[in-house]
Amino acid sequence: MTTYTDEYMDGLRLKGDELADATVEALFGSGQVARFNTLMRWFTTSGQALPEGLPDAASDYLRATATPPEWVDWGVMERARQFFIDNDVHISTALSFAAMPACYLIPHGAALLSATHSLDYPSRRMAETGQFTVYLMRPDAFEAGGRFLPAAQKVRLLHASIRRHLRQEGRWAEPVPICQEDMLGALMMFSVQVLDALHRLGVHMTSEGAEAYYYAWRVVGTILGCDPATIPPDLRAAREFSDRYMTRHMGPSPEGAHLTRQLIEMYEEVVPGTVLDPVVPALIRFLIGDTAADWLEVPRSGWDSVAKVAPAVLGVLERFEDRGPWASQLSDRVGRLVATLELSSLTRGRVMHYAIPEELKRDFGVPSGAGRWTPPPPVDPW
């Protein structure tokens, strides 16, 4: 079993994604990025014929990444999908109020989001994340007509284009932006840390369901360009990697606080009226803890204590589900409706397209690690 030492983690910081990086370099070198983005707007489903006129490098890349890994266990993937259906509202909550703030707790990650305009458009970032997860958990995710694989192919090129820009313009203090360590770290935020947030919310989960959910994200990591040999093989190893990654990099930053403020304001706009506005920061504080919330300058209010009753409320709802199949089906349908409405409010009913940015913000700077807090030894919540 891999031991996640500093030496091991430092090695991951030197690696990018060779296939995607070479493809992006070829596209920029031939001056065909804008044309590629235009053509790719019409390439949205698996099995769809590639657009005519694609550069050779793009066509080769799309064909090479058009199928999932051969080792995928489709039985486990189906269990992951059922887990998602059973917990879709809870997972959406965990993604929004735990996983996204966790991204902002990494200073260089928050700075990178700033460089890609996400400081100005937080709703787009959330909409892309939500849409991507929904695509993943659909029954046809990996079949002809599914939307997940084309979305993943575009995200992988998006990451490669950001690496290229920051390297060429000397705007990154380390050798590789969006390196393998950071890619794996993000994978942990959307898998392990979502499961931990569900645990804090009091959601009833089986070990099998949680492992299946993590397995699905292992598949996603491979598709997005993570080296399969470095992806933690199970939930236990994933939690060890996640704890190590966060311990190495957690810290306050102006960008992280700004991103969090915009996230809170965005969700306050989604919720009608103003009476329930304090619920949003209270829920974030409950899910990520006071130290992290203070870093991100999450405001305190009297609702902080109220948010702590969330597990009890969810316990009542889950006892309702246990009353019979009819109650479980009703709860699932209501959950899907709420999750759909939440995603629709972020996307404004549109499909989010993942394009290669040709320019990044000029005022980008990586904050120093001074003042970084070292968290106490992690406690396994399972």
Side-chain angles (χ1 to χ4, degrees), residues 89-102 104 126 129-130 190 194 263 266-267 280 283-284 287 342 346:
V89 173
H90 307 326
I91 290 173
S92 295
T93 299
L95 284 169
S96 302
F97 303 123
M100 289 306 299
Y104 308 155
M126 283 302 306
T129 302
F190 294 112
V194 164
L263 178 71
M266 179 189 70
Y267 272 103
V280 175
L283 187 54
I284 292 175
L287 290 176
E342 180 185 27
L346 295 174

Side-chain angles (χ1 to χ4, degrees), residues 230-264:
T230 65
I231 301 176
D234 54 34
L235 198 47
R236 183 182 181 86
R239 181 163 290 104
E240 181 182 344
F241 181 96
S242 179
D243 289 342
R244 190 73 182 124
Y245 178 77
M246 298 302 286
T247 300
R248 278 165 58 86
H249 299 296
M250 289 173 75
S253 69
E255 292 88 351
H258 190 89
L259 280 164
T260 304
R261 185 162 58 251
Q262 291 218 325
L263 178 71
I264 292 171

